[in-house]
Each structure stands twice: as C-alpha cells, then as structure tokens.
Amino acid sequence: MNIAALDQLWVYLSGNPLLSLLMTLVAFAVAVRINRALGGSSLFHPVTLSVSMLIGLLLLVDMDYATYFEGAQFIHFLLGPATVALAIPLYDHRDKVRQLLWPLLLACVVGIVTAVGSTLGLAALMGARPETLLSLAPRSVTSPIAMGVAEQIGGIPSLAAGLVLLTGSIGCVVAPWIFRVLRVQDPAVQGFTLGLAAHGFGTAHAFARIGAVAGAFSGLAMGLTGLLTAFILPLLVRLAGIG
C-alpha cells in the first residue's frame, strides 16, 4: 500500500466518529494489562494510564478534543446508567445504611468542609490565582459535578476535571496505607472514605479490592458528596471571599 492510499485511509478513519471509540477502548484495554503486569498497583491506575495514552495519541494524530468526543460520547453516555447501577448494591445493604444514616451525613459534611478548606488554604498560601482556587475547590467530587460547580463559581471546568482525576488517583494510592496506620478494618468505613475523598476512582477501587459492602458505601458517599457540594461549596467560597 503506497503513501497516497495510506493518506486516504487516514482521512476516512479520522472522519469516522467510531475511531475515537476504538482508540478509547484499546487504550483502556492496554492500560488494564499494564496495571495487572505491575501487580495491580494503584499508582498506575488503568484510568490514569489510559488518559495519558489517549492524550499522546491525540497529539500524535493532531486530533482536537471536539472531534475525539464525537465518537467518545457513546462511552460518556454510559456514565449515567453506570452511576445509577451503583444503587443496586446500596439497596442490598439498605438496613446498614439506615442505621448509619446520620453519622454518614455528618461525616460527609465534615469531609466536604475539610477538603475545600484545606485545598483553598494551601493553594492560597502558595499564591494560586482566584481562577485556580475556584477550579481546585470541587476536586473531591465526581468529574461531571466538579465541572458544573467550577463553572458556576467562576472556575475553569476543564482544569477542575483534570484535578478530579489526579485526586482520585492519589486517593487510591494513599487510602490503603492510611487504613493500615489507623487500623480501619470496617469495609463500610473504608468504602465511604474512598467515595468521599476519591469519588469514582475510590468507588471502583472499593468494589475491586475490598468488596461489595465497601463499594456500596463508596457509591453512597460519592453521590452524597456530589449533591451536598453543589449546595455547600458556593457558600464556602463566598465566606472565604474568593468568588
């Protein structure tokens, strides 16, 4: 096959939205294999690896994000059903959730205030600009909510989404060590902590590494944190005098 034929083939493929879908699936499959080869280390989370590979591919083929998303939106659409599906294991453990409802709500509020306060305080001490501060503030909630909240309070949605991924990766790496040091063995507590601090990454980690109970409570924490953050964060930003 000559160069002209290859160019025509690439023009055809680059105009096909399914190319983005194929790139995403292949990148994630390769990332999963790499993660397993490295012993399942959270430091090399499949999502983080696949995102890095996709960024490299997009730069290599000179494809802008809007073109890529035309095909990747099929996977993006599945985020909704996947999130709703988290209610199934939560329903299976509804009795335990009912018993711990008020402590969980209190822990969620305290966790949000602590995460936002520490993030804004440290970033401000390091001289971060207001736009950066407002993008950092919602880093502990799932990406769609973080982007919406960041836009609402004056931050940069794309930066907020990147910070969410970074937060989730770090949370999955640090959490097991913290659990060992503090001798936290209850899967419900471990799961809720992961969902609160590491959102979707933490929920996946809880299901895969700890069990169904931890996954159910992690999904609950992720949902509660996203819901409450949307209401609490704008108030905290105004109180801090940033927005």
Side-chain angles (χ1 to χ4, degrees):
M1 185 177 291
N2 56 35
I3 297 178
L6 287 174
D7 287 340
Q8 292 178 355
L9 177 61
W10 171 247
V11 170
Y12 170 75
L13 290 175
S14 61
N16 191 331
L18 293 180
L19 176 63
S20 300
L21 179 61
L22 178 62
M23 289 169 56
T24 305
L25 295 176
V26 170
F28 186 75
V30 172
V32 169
R33 287 183 174 273
I34 294 174
N35 180 259
R36 289 175 178 171
L38 295 174
S41 172
S42 299
L43 189 61
F44 299 96
H45 196 283
V47 175
T48 307
L49 290 175
S50 58
V51 168
S52 301
M53 285 189 284
L54 281 172
I55 291 173
L57 281 172
L58 293 180
L59 292 174
L60 180 65
V61 302
D62 194 25
M63 180 184 293
D64 59 76
Y65 180 76
T67 302
Y68 163 77
F69 191 71
E70 287 182 12
Q73 63 181 327
F74 297 112
I75 296 178
H76 184 267
F77 169 78
L78 295 176
L79 284 175
T83 303
V84 173
L86 292 174
I88 297 175
L90 188 60
Y91 179 80
D92 292 337
H93 302 282
R94 61 190 181 280
D95 292 334
K96 191 168 185 177
V97 172
R98 191 179 298 112
Q99 294 173 0
L100 299 174
L101 181 59
W102 289 111
L104 293 177
L105 286 173
L106 178 60
C108 195
V109 173
V110 172
I112 292 170
V113 174
T114 302
V116 174
S118 60
T119 298
L120 294 179
L122 288 172
L125 286 174
M126 296 177 69
R129 296 182 301 174
E131 294 83 0
T132 304
L133 291 174
L134 296 173
S135 303
L136 277 166
R139 65 174 178 77
S140 288
V141 296
T142 188
S143 294
I145 297 177
M147 294 175 69
V149 172
E151 185 176 12
Q152 177 187 0
I153 62 179
I156 305 171
S158 57
L159 178 58
L163 292 169
V164 166
L165 293 176
L166 183 61
T167 300
S169 300
I170 294 174
C172 290
V173 172
V174 174
W177 177 78
I178 294 177
F179 293 152
R180 286 194 297 269
V181 171
L182 298 180
R183 298 181 180 178
V184 177
Q185 298 180 348
D186 189 334
V189 176
Q190 292 181 345
F192 195 84
T193 303
L194 282 166
L196 176 60
H199 40 82
F201 276 65
T203 301
H205 182 87
F207 272 113
R209 301 297 178 84
I210 305 176
V213 174
F217 277 83
S218 185
L220 174 63
M222 184 176 69
L224 283 177
T225 303
L227 177 64
L228 294 176
T229 297
F231 292 97
I232 295 175
L233 185 54
L235 176 62
L236 293 176
V237 168
R238 284 197 294 269
L239 290 175
I242 300 173

